[in-house]
Amino acid sequence: MSHEEEINARERLARHWLEAEPSVQAYVFTAVSGFQDAEDVLQQVALTVARRFDENDAMRFFCTWAAWLAKSRIAYHYRKKERERLVFSEALIDQLAEVLVQQQRERAARRAALEHCLDKLPEKSRQILAIRYQEDAPMERVAEAIESTAGAVRVILFRIRNLLAECRNSELTRMTS
Amino acid sequence: MSDTLTDAERQLVDVYLDGDFPEREYASLFQRLETEPEALAYLAARTQLDVDLRRSFKRRKLQQLAVAVAAKSTSQPSMKWVRPSGSLIRTSLLKRLNAATFIVSLRIAPESPLTLTILLTPDVGPGQIYWLISGLEKPSRGNGTVFIKTGDQPKNLRFASNRPLKRAELIQWHTLAVVHDPANKRVRHYLDGALLNEKPLDDSHPLKLRQLVIGNWGFTTEPRNFVGRMDELAVFKRAFSDEEIAKF
């Protein structure tokens, strides 16, 4: 491969990966419980994709291919952990990949709708989300920050996410109608 | 939203995505996910929301950091002492250590808060560490101490130095060290190579040092971020002796 061809190939890879990464991330985050473990696995997937992207010349099914690579990294992760947390069957993992790859098409609209809904949340709710997602804080630390208990924080977060999910769905409906 | 899942089951999906794993409770949930496409679609949608939220807040954090860095050279010259709010310095080490030695050279800023984080792991639980300087000039307690906590049970896993540390003293460069030594059932604190004190270590867990955050507690309600300078932070996978610490 000439220098120019290599640069072109890398650009193609970067473009495809940017497009596919949110779906692959969602896939890994569902199959691997725990943010840090999931981050590690996602990083390994990214490395494997970069190492093996020559195998996927046409790049036409990049997201499906990346999800397939992710599946093997997830399996490896559980083997390494001596299956202590393996919960999903292979069939479920496959189904999940299919659903998440399908969702990739709506990504831009979904994220725009989410931003809109986040701006409508009360300040206190946004603060709780920020501690949880911006600082990657575990429940116990979120609880400490808002002077509550971990159990109460779980319930609060569940309700905030419900509100966001409902708001986002109606926003998406409004955008497409 | 899936009508096939109860409210409690939907909440359990969130708990799973948050990283908790009470395995017994999940068995029936996962069975439903396998057999009911609507339930699986709910899990996928919820994960997607989680990932999108994570991305949105990371983006907000980067924006805040950019603003803090941009403001640094003009309106807030004293910011050279203070790390911009929201920045996070992380490192990744070995997964588990039985024995360990932590060493750092530091000096604190005069305006630093009462509690300063040196090093911590982002999770809570046995084997997670919090290395802090706390209680600096708190009127009710006198002078501060340095302590390391290696779990979530404050009583038997919190190891504080006895020697009081003064703010005025710590604005000069000093070297702090702590040795976690399960073989000798001791945790030892050092200041500038000299032993401050040692505490018995009765209930030891392997230290989980895979992710380490340096200097950042991360919350705004009670400032605990490190304000000052650090140098030559080091973690060793064995317990140093008094002599080794003195020579370091």
Side-chain angles (χ1 to χ4, degrees):
Chain A
M1 193 186 284
S2 72
H3 183 58
E4 194 177 343
E5 282 170 341
E6 193 177 331
I7 289 175
N8 288 339
R10 286 186 187 284
E11 277 179 8
R12 274 203 317 279
L13 168 68
R15 207 167 49 246
H16 282 293
W17 177 245
L18 278 175
E19 188 74 18
E21 197 214 356
S23 299
V24 177
Q25 184 183 9
Y27 181 39
V28 171
F29 274 51
T30 316
V32 177
S33 180
F35 170 70
Q36 284 173 13
D37 281 350
E39 281 274 277
D40 288 351
V41 172
L42 183 66
Q43 199 177 8
Q44 289 301 321
V45 175
L47 285 172
T48 312
V49 165
R51 203 176 295 132
R52 294 177 57 177
F53 79 104
D54 282 346
E55 295 173 17
N56 195 35
D57 285 339
M59 299 273 179
R60 281 187 302 165
F61 306 107
F62 185 88
C63 193
T64 309
W65 175 71
W68 174 74
L69 288 180
K71 185 184 162 188
S72 69
R73 293 306 314 187
I74 291 163
Y76 176 71
H77 166 77
Y78 282 122
R79 273 204 306 276
K80 216 169 58 174
K81 289 177 83 84
E82 296 170 348
R83 302 172 75 92
E84 69 185 56
R85 282 185 172 186
L86 181 56
V87 289
F88 288 168
S89 68
E90 195 167 332
L92 186 55
I93 293 267
D94 287 342
Q95 285 174 45
L96 196 59
E98 207 172 306
V99 173
L100 289 167
V101 169
Q102 278 167 12
Q103 285 180 356
Q104 189 196 14
R105 286 192 293 272
E106 305 158 352
R107 182 167 59 94
R110 214 179 48 232
R111 284 171 65 177
L114 179 65
E115 292 298 330
H116 175 79
C117 295
L118 277 172
D119 288 340
K120 283 166 62 179
L121 276 182
E123 181 54 36
K124 174 94 175 171
S125 301
R126 270 207 304 274
Q127 190 193 356
I128 293 170
L129 289 176
I131 296 170
R132 173 73 184 131
Y133 288 107
Q134 202 162 299
E135 307 292 343
D136 299 327
M139 290 301 159
E140 289 76 6
R141 294 232 185 120
V142 182
E144 196 175 332
I146 64 166
E147 295 176 348
S148 186
T149 63
V153 169
R154 283 186 215 292
V155 174
I156 293 168
L157 276 173
F158 177 64
R159 287 179 184 154
I160 296 174
R161 287 164 178 152
N162 282 349
L163 278 175
L164 284 173
E166 281 169 26
C167 170
R168 185 160 77 169
N169 288 343
S170 37
E171 192 61 21
L172 284 170
T173 310
R174 192 185 64 77
M175 286 161 74
T176 51
S177 63
Chain B
M1 185 178 289
S2 166
D3 292 331
T4 64
L5 294 178
T6 64
D7 210 44
E9 285 172 327
R10 289 201 297 271
Q11 200 170 336
L12 208 52
V13 168
D14 275 16
V15 174
Y16 169 73
L17 291 174
D18 282 330
D20 283 352
F21 200 79
E23 198 160 347
R24 204 177 39 184
E25 292 180 49
Y26 284 115
S28 66
L29 177 66
F30 288 130
Q31 197 172 7
R32 298 189 72 175
L33 291 171
E34 291 217 27
T35 52
E36 296 173 33
E38 274 187 53
L40 183 71
Y42 176 78
L43 171 68
R46 207 58 167 184
T47 310
Q48 203 76 70
L49 177 67
D50 195 57
V51 166
D52 290 345
L53 277 169
R54 214 172 274 286
R55 285 175 170 264
S56 174
F57 278 95
K58 290 289 178 202
R59 196 164 51 245
R60 284 161 194 243
K61 180 175 174 176
L62 285 173
Q63 284 166 354
Q64 284 173 11
L65 186 60
V67 170
V69 170
K72 186 175 161 182
S73 59
T74 53
S75 61
Q76 291 177 286
S78 64
M79 283 290 281
K80 67 182 181 183
W81 279 97
V82 186
R83 293 174 44 242
S85 168
S87 63
L88 203 60
I89 302 174
R90 255 190 187 163
T91 185
S92 191
L93 293 175
L94 300 168
K95 288 198 173 179
R96 285 165 187 256
L97 295 179
N98 285 321
T101 299
F102 304 86
I103 300 180
V104 67
S105 294
L106 55 79
R107 67 175 183 182
I108 67 170
E111 69 274 21
S112 59
L114 298 176
T115 300
L116 295 158
T117 302
I118 300 172
L119 192 69
L120 57 77
T121 45
D123 290 326
V124 173
Q128 306 289 340
I129 71 145
Y130 309 81
W131 188 17
L132 303 138
I133 298 169
S134 77
L136 281 175
E137 292 167 16
K138 201 168 187 177
S140 58
R141 290 190 185 172
N143 296 310
T145 57
V146 54
F147 77 83
I148 189 162
K149 204 168 114 175
T150 58
D152 57 355
Q153 300 167 53
K155 281 183 183 169
N156 57 358
L157 292 172
R158 187 183 186 282
F159 308 98
S161 66
N162 286 334
R163 183 182 181 280
L165 299 170
K166 295 176 182 171
R167 185 186 298 270
E169 172 179 44
L170 288 174
I171 62 174
Q172 305 295 325
W173 281 102
H174 289 283
T175 300
L176 292 176
V178 62
V179 176
H180 185 261
D181 185 0
N184 293 305
K185 295 194 170 185
R186 286 284 184 276
V187 171
R188 298 189 294 274
H189 287 279
Y190 299 85
L191 176 69
D192 296 328
L195 184 67
L196 287 176
N197 76 319
E198 57 182 356
K199 295 274 185 180
L201 175 63
D202 299 324
D203 183 15
S204 172
H205 300 276
L207 301 178
K208 297 173 184 170
L209 302 181
R210 198 182 57 178
Q211 297 281 340
L212 285 169
V213 177
I214 301 168
N216 192 305
W217 182 265
F219 305 122
T220 51
T221 49
E222 184 190 349
R224 292 180 176 179
N225 293 347
F226 185 84
V227 185
R229 292 186 176 190
M230 278 190 208
D231 198 6
E232 297 185 8
L233 173 65
V235 180
F236 298 89
K237 57 182 180 181
R238 65 181 179 85
F240 277 22
S241 65
D242 291 356
E243 293 73 24
E244 285 174 306
I245 293 285
K247 284 180 192 166
F248 188 80

